[in-house]
Amino acid sequence: MTESAASEKPILLFLHGVGKVDRDDAWRAPLDATLARVGYPNLDSVEVIAPKYAHILKDWDEKTRQPAVTIKQPTRDAARQNRRDFERRVSAVEYRLTGQSQGGGLAALDLGVSGSVDLPSFRQARNYVSIDAIRAQVLKHILSKLPSSGRLVIVGHSLGSVIAADLLRYLPVDLRVDGMVTIGSPLANGRFDVDRIRDALKEPPSNLGWWVNFWNTTDLVAAHRGVSSVFPWMVDFRISTGAPMGKRAHSANEYFEADAVATAVGFALFGSLSKDVARIDKGVEIPLDTAETYALAGLRYAFLITAGLKGDVRDRYSGALREVQATAVDQIRRRNASEGRQLPTAIARLEFDLSDPRAPVPVPKPPAHVTKEDAVAMMTALASQNVIRPFEISVDREIKREAMRNLTREMRLGGQFGTDVFAAAKQASAALDVPGVNLLKLGVLGAGAVALAVIPGGFMLAGGMVGSLLAAGTLAAATGITVANGLASANTSAEALEAIVEQRLSTEILRKKQGLEPDPTAWRTLVETEMELRREYERLDEFSDESAPGLKELKRKVSTIERAIKHLRDQGLEPGIPEADEPDDADEGA
């Protein structure tokens, strides 16, 4: 939050559910205790507003009209920007909740869910959504308790969550909602008619910072379905308090004893915890390992791509890169901690507080001390993969080429190295007659046994940018009988084999273009794979139908390997065969 925002006293608006009125606000005690447990101040420094409206749900004046809508939905470009900004703030609170325990669902729970809304107290809740006069009276009553400006955090329990969603469009324009937390919400229950609210909130309102809904796995009212099924732009978070099915599982007090709920409320009221800021350390001056080098190179490459973009595409790409960088650094930190390895300075300096949407993102520097030998597989992987995975944004190929040239210049490999990376990939694709398959778009596990054999454990299953680049780079350089057996395995699809072989062929072409000695293991791996595939084909062909899918798949694999071997031979890269001298002009004229 900004300094001006931090100086304002936050306001907590608690909207209660139906049933017995909590006139003493007993819900504050468990929330205060849990806030303290997760490291936040209690509510003593917060202005708490908790209006009571149970009586209005039973009696109403037909003449009461709805309050005027004050928050209009933005249109076109403004709407697009509003949605993008909202998503950035939602990602921040999701990051804040990372590591919080999420409960498991109960199969038997559905048996009691539909019946829960027939309880007498929930008939009052249906009154709110079905009787306009009641709805108008409740909204006006709540609005009369609120100031005209300031920082508001809304917490809605049960029916209070329905009212909270409805209230957003009627708030004073200068009263901004930093965050909204709903608990035990029936908004997604088909027995409640919330069509009017849903239709009015097809997009996040411009005055809302973010919205997270928590549902307890044993809560008969809330656990039927997440609220994101009604409002897909908000976030659902499942918890399990351990309470048995019944009133206790649905109670506000039970929810407020959950760390995840208190964390979201505390973050909305007070922002980032000081201990999280302190966690961002300087690291230690140690060399980068393979995963760290790939991550740093990938982040720098993505940054250079961003520099070449303009307008909306640049905004979206930089927003995606922000999340990718935070996730990549967090993955490396967690892996290093599990292995007892310290965090190198080059990685530690990239860390920032993703939960603060205004936090500046440190600019990644290019990795140092990478030899041409090591750079071949790495740059081939960078050029072929989506470095902002899991986000997908189309980027002009020339922008990627220029970014690669700039990266290889920065790494003291020379700009021609970057040019050759893309030229080698194009040549390999043409040689194999395949449309440039992205291995990680298929999923690393689509590579079957070969992936499991060669990709470092920890990152393959973690996915994301680090896993993608490590997989592509490792597979591009993988050799040996184990790899050959993996490529020939029925668990490796023909499409995955094409992608792996294309990567491997690209590296050999790049080595030649850069004047590096050919890698003899590349040829040997392809030949061993061909032998395995041909033997398997002959074994199955003897008894299988001619049109058997398995035979067609094997034929496709064999054809790919044959083309790769032919291209290596044509390029003079077959071991033991010296490359023929290029004829000079005099020879051509003889």
Side-chain angles (χ1 to χ4, degrees), residues 484-515:
N485 289 337
L487 287 171
S489 168
N491 293 326
T492 301
S493 68
E495 193 173 7
L497 178 140
E498 288 169 352
I500 296 169
V501 172
E502 182 184 343
Q503 291 270 97
R504 197 68 183 89
L505 189 57
S506 293
T507 62
E508 291 311 298
I509 296 170
L510 179 57
R511 293 179 70 86
K512 180 182 178 182
K513 287 180 177 293
Q514 283 292 307

PDB file of all heavy atoms in Angstrom, residues 484-515:
ATOM      1  N   ALA A 484      17.887 -43.938 -25.501  1.00  0.00           N
ATOM      2  CA  ALA A 484      17.422 -44.647 -26.699  1.00  0.00           C
ATOM      3  C   ALA A 484      16.241 -45.544 -26.361  1.00  0.00           C
ATOM      4  O   ALA A 484      15.232 -45.581 -27.088  1.00  0.00           O
ATOM      5  CB  ALA A 484      18.565 -45.456 -27.300  1.00  0.00           C
ATOM      6  N   ASN A 485      16.355 -46.278 -25.278  1.00  0.00           N
ATOM      7  CA  ASN A 485      15.248 -47.143 -24.860  1.00  0.00           C
ATOM      8  C   ASN A 485      14.011 -46.321 -24.530  1.00  0.00           C
ATOM      9  O   ASN A 485      12.877 -46.711 -24.816  1.00  0.00           O
ATOM     10  CB  ASN A 485      15.658 -47.975 -23.644  1.00  0.00           C
ATOM     11  CG  ASN A 485      16.677 -49.042 -24.000  1.00  0.00           C
ATOM     12  OD1 ASN A 485      16.777 -49.446 -25.149  1.00  0.00           O
ATOM     13  ND2 ASN A 485      17.441 -49.496 -23.000  1.00  0.00           N
ATOM     14  N   GLY A 486      14.209 -45.161 -23.887  1.00  0.00           N
ATOM     15  CA  GLY A 486      13.079 -44.306 -23.553  1.00  0.00           C
ATOM     16  C   GLY A 486      12.385 -43.760 -24.778  1.00  0.00           C
ATOM     17  O   GLY A 486      11.152 -43.723 -24.858  1.00  0.00           O
ATOM     18  N   LEU A 487      13.167 -43.321 -25.781  1.00  0.00           N
ATOM     19  CA  LEU A 487      12.578 -42.802 -27.013  1.00  0.00           C
ATOM     20  C   LEU A 487      11.810 -43.892 -27.753  1.00  0.00           C
ATOM     21  O   LEU A 487      10.776 -43.646 -28.371  1.00  0.00           O
ATOM     22  CB  LEU A 487      13.670 -42.230 -27.910  1.00  0.00           C
ATOM     23  CG  LEU A 487      14.289 -40.897 -27.470  1.00  0.00           C
ATOM     24  CD1 LEU A 487      15.490 -40.558 -28.321  1.00  0.00           C
ATOM     25  CD2 LEU A 487      13.257 -39.780 -27.549  1.00  0.00           C
ATOM     26  N   ALA A 488      12.329 -45.121 -27.718  1.00  0.00           N
ATOM     27  CA  ALA A 488      11.684 -46.227 -28.425  1.00  0.00           C
ATOM     28  C   ALA A 488      10.476 -46.776 -27.671  1.00  0.00           C
ATOM     29  O   ALA A 488       9.649 -47.480 -28.245  1.00  0.00           O
ATOM     30  CB  ALA A 488      12.695 -47.346 -28.649  1.00  0.00           C
ATOM     31  N   SER A 489      10.371 -46.426 -26.402  1.00  0.00           N
ATOM     32  CA  SER A 489       9.298 -46.967 -25.568  1.00  0.00           C
ATOM     33  C   SER A 489       7.919 -46.544 -26.062  1.00  0.00           C
ATOM     34  O   SER A 489       7.728 -45.446 -26.586  1.00  0.00           O
ATOM     35  CB  SER A 489       9.481 -46.496 -24.123  1.00  0.00           C
ATOM     36  OG  SER A 489       8.342 -46.764 -23.351  1.00  0.00           O
ATOM     37  N   ALA A 490       6.956 -47.435 -25.870  1.00  0.00           N
ATOM     38  CA  ALA A 490       5.566 -47.112 -26.230  1.00  0.00           C
ATOM     39  C   ALA A 490       5.016 -45.999 -25.358  1.00  0.00           C
ATOM     40  O   ALA A 490       4.020 -45.359 -25.709  1.00  0.00           O
ATOM     41  CB  ALA A 490       4.705 -48.364 -26.089  1.00  0.00           C
ATOM     42  N   ASN A 491       5.660 -45.746 -24.221  1.00  0.00           N
ATOM     43  CA  ASN A 491       5.212 -44.671 -23.331  1.00  0.00           C
ATOM     44  C   ASN A 491       5.599 -43.289 -23.851  1.00  0.00           C
ATOM     45  O   ASN A 491       5.135 -42.280 -23.323  1.00  0.00           O
ATOM     46  CB  ASN A 491       5.809 -44.861 -21.930  1.00  0.00           C
ATOM     47  CG  ASN A 491       5.259 -46.087 -21.230  1.00  0.00           C
ATOM     48  OD1 ASN A 491       4.101 -46.435 -21.415  1.00  0.00           O
ATOM     49  ND2 ASN A 491       6.099 -46.749 -20.446  1.00  0.00           N
ATOM     50  N   THR A 492       6.476 -43.245 -24.857  1.00  0.00           N
ATOM     51  CA  THR A 492       6.862 -41.974 -25.474  1.00  0.00           C
ATOM     52  C   THR A 492       6.136 -41.856 -26.808  1.00  0.00           C
ATOM     53  O   THR A 492       6.350 -42.666 -27.704  1.00  0.00           O
ATOM     54  CB  THR A 492       8.385 -41.906 -25.696  1.00  0.00           C
ATOM     55  OG1 THR A 492       9.049 -42.046 -24.439  1.00  0.00           O
ATOM     56  CG2 THR A 492       8.777 -40.576 -26.318  1.00  0.00           C
ATOM     57  N   SER A 493       5.298 -40.852 -26.936  1.00  0.00           N
ATOM     58  CA  SER A 493       4.507 -40.690 -28.164  1.00  0.00           C
ATOM     59  C   SER A 493       5.401 -40.286 -29.325  1.00  0.00           C
ATOM     60  O   SER A 493       6.515 -39.772 -29.146  1.00  0.00           O
ATOM     61  CB  SER A 493       3.432 -39.627 -27.955  1.00  0.00           C
ATOM     62  OG  SER A 493       4.018 -38.351 -27.812  1.00  0.00           O
ATOM     63  N   ALA A 494       4.886 -40.491 -30.543  1.00  0.00           N
ATOM     64  CA  ALA A 494       5.629 -40.088 -31.738  1.00  0.00           C
ATOM     65  C   ALA A 494       5.840 -38.582 -31.752  1.00  0.00           C
ATOM     66  O   ALA A 494       6.904 -38.092 -32.162  1.00  0.00           O
ATOM     67  CB  ALA A 494       4.879 -40.538 -32.991  1.00  0.00           C
ATOM     68  N   GLU A 495       4.853 -37.837 -31.301  1.00  0.00           N
ATOM     69  CA  GLU A 495       4.965 -36.383 -31.289  1.00  0.00           C
ATOM     70  C   GLU A 495       6.047 -35.944 -30.307  1.00  0.00           C
ATOM     71  O   GLU A 495       6.827 -35.022 -30.592  1.00  0.00           O
ATOM     72  CB  GLU A 495       3.623 -35.755 -30.923  1.00  0.00           C
ATOM     73  CG  GLU A 495       3.560 -34.274 -31.187  1.00  0.00           C
ATOM     74  CD  GLU A 495       2.166 -33.697 -30.975  1.00  0.00           C
ATOM     75  OE1 GLU A 495       1.281 -34.426 -30.487  1.00  0.00           O
ATOM     76  OE2 GLU A 495       1.977 -32.508 -31.289  1.00  0.00           O
ATOM     77  N   ALA A 496       6.099 -36.595 -29.143  1.00  0.00           N
ATOM     78  CA  ALA A 496       7.133 -36.262 -28.169  1.00  0.00           C
ATOM     79  C   ALA A 496       8.508 -36.626 -28.699  1.00  0.00           C
ATOM     80  O   ALA A 496       9.475 -35.872 -28.535  1.00  0.00           O
ATOM     81  CB  ALA A 496       6.870 -36.978 -26.850  1.00  0.00           C
ATOM     82  N   LEU A 497       8.614 -37.785 -29.359  1.00  0.00           N
ATOM     83  CA  LEU A 497       9.900 -38.176 -29.940  1.00  0.00           C
ATOM     84  C   LEU A 497      10.347 -37.144 -30.969  1.00  0.00           C
ATOM     85  O   LEU A 497      11.524 -36.772 -31.020  1.00  0.00           O
ATOM     86  CB  LEU A 497       9.786 -39.563 -30.586  1.00  0.00           C
ATOM     87  CG  LEU A 497      11.055 -40.075 -31.289  1.00  0.00           C
ATOM     88  CD1 LEU A 497      11.273 -41.560 -31.026  1.00  0.00           C
ATOM     89  CD2 LEU A 497      10.992 -39.830 -32.801  1.00  0.00           C
ATOM     90  N   GLU A 498       9.433 -36.684 -31.820  1.00  0.00           N
ATOM     91  CA  GLU A 498       9.780 -35.672 -32.815  1.00  0.00           C
ATOM     92  C   GLU A 498      10.331 -34.416 -32.160  1.00  0.00           C
ATOM     93  O   GLU A 498      11.316 -33.827 -32.633  1.00  0.00           O
ATOM     94  CB  GLU A 498       8.545 -35.332 -33.650  1.00  0.00           C
ATOM     95  CG  GLU A 498       8.125 -36.436 -34.611  1.00  0.00           C
ATOM     96  CD  GLU A 498       6.759 -36.195 -35.224  1.00  0.00           C
ATOM     97  OE1 GLU A 498       6.073 -35.252 -34.782  1.00  0.00           O
ATOM     98  OE2 GLU A 498       6.377 -36.954 -36.136  1.00  0.00           O
ATOM     99  N   ALA A 499       9.691 -34.004 -31.070  1.00  0.00           N
ATOM    100  CA  ALA A 499      10.138 -32.789 -30.381  1.00  0.00           C
ATOM    101  C   ALA A 499      11.534 -32.974 -29.792  1.00  0.00           C
ATOM    102  O   ALA A 499      12.393 -32.093 -29.892  1.00  0.00           O
ATOM    103  CB  ALA A 499       9.145 -32.426 -29.275  1.00  0.00           C
ATOM    104  N   ILE A 500      11.781 -34.138 -29.187  1.00  0.00           N
ATOM    105  CA  ILE A 500      13.081 -34.394 -28.571  1.00  0.00           C
ATOM    106  C   ILE A 500      14.176 -34.503 -29.630  1.00  0.00           C
ATOM    107  O   ILE A 500      15.264 -33.926 -29.492  1.00  0.00           O
ATOM    108  CB  ILE A 500      13.028 -35.681 -27.717  1.00  0.00           C
ATOM    109  CG1 ILE A 500      12.051 -35.500 -26.549  1.00  0.00           C
ATOM    110  CG2 ILE A 500      14.416 -36.045 -27.194  1.00  0.00           C
ATOM    111  CD1 ILE A 500      11.729 -36.781 -25.814  1.00  0.00           C
ATOM    112  N   VAL A 501      13.882 -35.218 -30.700  1.00  0.00           N
ATOM    113  CA  VAL A 501      14.874 -35.386 -31.761  1.00  0.00           C
ATOM    114  C   VAL A 501      15.150 -34.049 -32.447  1.00  0.00           C
ATOM    115  O   VAL A 501      16.302 -33.740 -32.796  1.00  0.00           O
ATOM    116  CB  VAL A 501      14.401 -36.443 -32.786  1.00  0.00           C
ATOM    117  CG1 VAL A 501      15.325 -36.479 -34.001  1.00  0.00           C
ATOM    118  CG2 VAL A 501      14.350 -37.815 -32.123  1.00  0.00           C
ATOM    119  N   GLU A 502      14.121 -33.247 -32.633  1.00  0.00           N
ATOM    120  CA  GLU A 502      14.323 -31.925 -33.231  1.00  0.00           C
ATOM    121  C   GLU A 502      15.247 -31.070 -32.350  1.00  0.00           C
ATOM    122  O   GLU A 502      16.154 -30.390 -32.857  1.00  0.00           O
ATOM    123  CB  GLU A 502      12.992 -31.219 -33.437  1.00  0.00           C
ATOM    124  CG  GLU A 502      13.131 -29.857 -34.106  1.00  0.00           C
ATOM    125  CD  GLU A 502      11.815 -29.131 -34.224  1.00  0.00           C
ATOM    126  OE1 GLU A 502      10.762 -29.766 -34.093  1.00  0.00           O
ATOM    127  OE2 GLU A 502      11.842 -27.899 -34.443  1.00  0.00           O
ATOM    128  N   GLN A 503      15.013 -31.110 -31.043  1.00  0.00           N
ATOM    129  CA  GLN A 503      15.889 -30.380 -30.120  1.00  0.00           C
ATOM    130  C   GLN A 503      17.329 -30.877 -30.236  1.00  0.00           C
ATOM    131  O   GLN A 503      18.278 -30.095 -30.292  1.00  0.00           O
ATOM    132  CB  GLN A 503      15.408 -30.575 -28.682  1.00  0.00           C
ATOM    133  CG  GLN A 503      14.086 -29.910 -28.351  1.00  0.00           C
ATOM    134  CD  GLN A 503      14.283 -28.501 -27.832  1.00  0.00           C
ATOM    135  OE1 GLN A 503      14.179 -27.539 -28.579  1.00  0.00           O
ATOM    136  NE2 GLN A 503      14.562 -28.386 -26.562  1.00  0.00           N
ATOM    137  N   ARG A 504      17.476 -32.210 -30.284  1.00  0.00           N
ATOM    138  CA  ARG A 504      18.831 -32.802 -30.344  1.00  0.00           C
ATOM    139  C   ARG A 504      19.518 -32.441 -31.652  1.00  0.00           C
ATOM    140  O   ARG A 504      20.709 -32.110 -31.679  1.00  0.00           O
ATOM    141  CB  ARG A 504      18.720 -34.335 -30.216  1.00  0.00           C
ATOM    142  CG  ARG A 504      20.034 -35.009 -29.844  1.00  0.00           C
ATOM    143  CD  ARG A 504      20.419 -34.624 -28.427  1.00  0.00           C
ATOM    144  NE  ARG A 504      21.706 -35.181 -28.043  1.00  0.00           N
ATOM    145  CZ  ARG A 504      22.876 -34.593 -28.227  1.00  0.00           C
ATOM    146  NH1 ARG A 504      22.953 -33.422 -28.837  1.00  0.00           N
ATOM    147  NH2 ARG A 504      23.989 -35.151 -27.818  1.00  0.00           N
ATOM    148  N   LEU A 505      18.754 -32.472 -32.746  1.00  0.00           N
ATOM    149  CA  LEU A 505      19.322 -32.130 -34.043  1.00  0.00           C
ATOM    150  C   LEU A 505      19.695 -30.647 -34.098  1.00  0.00           C
ATOM    151  O   LEU A 505      20.734 -30.273 -34.671  1.00  0.00           O
ATOM    152  CB  LEU A 505      18.314 -32.471 -35.148  1.00  0.00           C
ATOM    153  CG  LEU A 505      18.811 -32.375 -36.600  1.00  0.00           C
ATOM    154  CD1 LEU A 505      20.024 -33.268 -36.825  1.00  0.00           C
ATOM    155  CD2 LEU A 505      17.686 -32.751 -37.558  1.00  0.00           C
ATOM    156  N   SER A 506      18.879 -29.818 -33.480  1.00  0.00           N
ATOM    157  CA  SER A 506      19.167 -28.371 -33.441  1.00  0.00           C
ATOM    158  C   SER A 506      20.500 -28.103 -32.756  1.00  0.00           C
ATOM    159  O   SER A 506      21.277 -27.244 -33.196  1.00  0.00           O
ATOM    160  CB  SER A 506      18.062 -27.623 -32.697  1.00  0.00           C
ATOM    161  OG  SER A 506      16.852 -27.660 -33.407  1.00  0.00           O
ATOM    162  N   THR A 507      20.761 -28.817 -31.676  1.00  0.00           N
ATOM    163  CA  THR A 507      22.015 -28.577 -30.952  1.00  0.00           C
ATOM    164  C   THR A 507      23.220 -28.962 -31.805  1.00  0.00           C
ATOM    165  O   THR A 507      24.255 -28.279 -31.777  1.00  0.00           O
ATOM    166  CB  THR A 507      22.054 -29.354 -29.619  1.00  0.00           C
ATOM    167  OG1 THR A 507      21.988 -30.761 -29.875  1.00  0.00           O
ATOM    168  CG2 THR A 507      20.908 -28.958 -28.714  1.00  0.00           C
ATOM    169  N   GLU A 508      23.105 -30.047 -32.581  1.00  0.00           N
ATOM    170  CA  GLU A 508      24.234 -30.464 -33.418  1.00  0.00           C
ATOM    171  C   GLU A 508      24.464 -29.484 -34.560  1.00  0.00           C
ATOM    172  O   GLU A 508      25.605 -29.186 -34.923  1.00  0.00           O
ATOM    173  CB  GLU A 508      23.993 -31.878 -33.952  1.00  0.00           C
ATOM    174  CG  GLU A 508      24.061 -32.958 -32.887  1.00  0.00           C
ATOM    175  CD  GLU A 508      25.302 -32.817 -32.031  1.00  0.00           C
ATOM    176  OE1 GLU A 508      26.426 -32.924 -32.578  1.00  0.00           O
ATOM    177  OE2 GLU A 508      25.160 -32.586 -30.809  1.00  0.00           O
ATOM    178  N   ILE A 509      23.378 -28.979 -35.131  1.00  0.00           N
ATOM    179  CA  ILE A 509      23.508 -27.975 -36.194  1.00  0.00           C
ATOM    180  C   ILE A 509      24.134 -26.705 -35.627  1.00  0.00           C
ATOM    181  O   ILE A 509      25.002 -26.080 -36.250  1.00  0.00           O
ATOM    182  CB  ILE A 509      22.141 -27.683 -36.829  1.00  0.00           C
ATOM    183  CG1 ILE A 509      21.595 -28.938 -37.518  1.00  0.00           C
ATOM    184  CG2 ILE A 509      22.230 -26.530 -37.814  1.00  0.00           C
ATOM    185  CD1 ILE A 509      20.153 -28.815 -37.970  1.00  0.00           C
ATOM    186  N   LEU A 510      23.713 -26.308 -34.435  1.00  0.00           N
ATOM    187  CA  LEU A 510      24.260 -25.116 -33.801  1.00  0.00           C
ATOM    188  C   LEU A 510      25.745 -25.295 -33.497  1.00  0.00           C
ATOM    189  O   LEU A 510      26.541 -24.367 -33.676  1.00  0.00           O
ATOM    190  CB  LEU A 510      23.479 -24.809 -32.520  1.00  0.00           C
ATOM    191  CG  LEU A 510      23.937 -23.595 -31.710  1.00  0.00           C
ATOM    192  CD1 LEU A 510      23.932 -22.322 -32.552  1.00  0.00           C
ATOM    193  CD2 LEU A 510      23.051 -23.409 -30.471  1.00  0.00           C
ATOM    194  N   ARG A 511      26.124 -26.463 -33.049  1.00  0.00           N
ATOM    195  CA  ARG A 511      27.534 -26.726 -32.767  1.00  0.00           C
ATOM    196  C   ARG A 511      28.370 -26.530 -34.044  1.00  0.00           C
ATOM    197  O   ARG A 511      29.448 -25.932 -34.011  1.00  0.00           O
ATOM    198  CB  ARG A 511      27.720 -28.153 -32.236  1.00  0.00           C
ATOM    199  CG  ARG A 511      27.098 -28.411 -30.873  1.00  0.00           C
ATOM    200  CD  ARG A 511      27.303 -29.865 -30.450  1.00  0.00           C
ATOM    201  NE  ARG A 511      28.700 -30.097 -30.137  1.00  0.00           N
ATOM    202  CZ  ARG A 511      29.256 -29.867 -28.954  1.00  0.00           C
ATOM    203  NH1 ARG A 511      28.519 -29.410 -27.958  1.00  0.00           N
ATOM    204  NH2 ARG A 511      30.529 -30.102 -28.752  1.00  0.00           N
ATOM    205  N   LYS A 512      27.842 -27.040 -35.150  1.00  0.00           N
ATOM    206  CA  LYS A 512      28.576 -26.895 -36.407  1.00  0.00           C
ATOM    207  C   LYS A 512      28.690 -25.430 -36.810  1.00  0.00           C
ATOM    208  O   LYS A 512      29.766 -24.957 -37.212  1.00  0.00           O
ATOM    209  CB  LYS A 512      27.882 -27.691 -37.507  1.00  0.00           C
ATOM    210  CG  LYS A 512      28.590 -27.580 -38.852  1.00  0.00           C
ATOM    211  CD  LYS A 512      27.860 -28.333 -39.933  1.00  0.00           C
ATOM    212  CE  LYS A 512      28.591 -28.145 -41.286  1.00  0.00           C
ATOM    213  NZ  LYS A 512      27.893 -28.826 -42.395  1.00  0.00           N
ATOM    214  N   LYS A 513      27.582 -24.691 -36.695  1.00  0.00           N
ATOM    215  CA  LYS A 513      27.591 -23.285 -37.081  1.00  0.00           C
ATOM    216  C   LYS A 513      28.571 -22.483 -36.230  1.00  0.00           C
ATOM    217  O   LYS A 513      29.146 -21.488 -36.685  1.00  0.00           O
ATOM    218  CB  LYS A 513      26.178 -22.694 -36.951  1.00  0.00           C
ATOM    219  CG  LYS A 513      25.200 -23.162 -38.029  1.00  0.00           C
ATOM    220  CD  LYS A 513      23.834 -22.538 -37.825  1.00  0.00           C
ATOM    221  CE  LYS A 513      22.868 -22.939 -38.933  1.00  0.00           C
ATOM    222  NZ  LYS A 513      23.252 -22.373 -40.259  1.00  0.00           N
ATOM    223  N   GLN A 514      28.752 -22.888 -34.988  1.00  0.00           N
ATOM    224  CA  GLN A 514      29.638 -22.175 -34.070  1.00  0.00           C
ATOM    225  C   GLN A 514      31.066 -22.730 -34.060  1.00  0.00           C
ATOM    226  O   GLN A 514      31.882 -22.303 -33.251  1.00  0.00           O
ATOM    227  CB  GLN A 514      29.058 -22.217 -32.658  1.00  0.00           C
ATOM    228  CG  GLN A 514      27.909 -21.247 -32.445  1.00  0.00           C
ATOM    229  CD  GLN A 514      28.376 -19.807 -32.494  1.00  0.00           C
ATOM    230  OE1 GLN A 514      29.305 -19.413 -31.785  1.00  0.00           O
ATOM    231  NE2 GLN A 514      27.740 -19.003 -33.343  1.00  0.00           N
ATOM    232  N   GLY A 515      31.333 -23.680 -34.961  1.00  0.00           N
ATOM    233  CA  GLY A 515      32.686 -24.210 -35.060  1.00  0.00           C
ATOM    234  C   GLY A 515      33.070 -25.114 -33.918  1.00  0.00           C
ATOM    235  O   GLY A 515      34.277 -25.313 -33.653  1.00  0.00           O
TER     236      GLY A 515
END
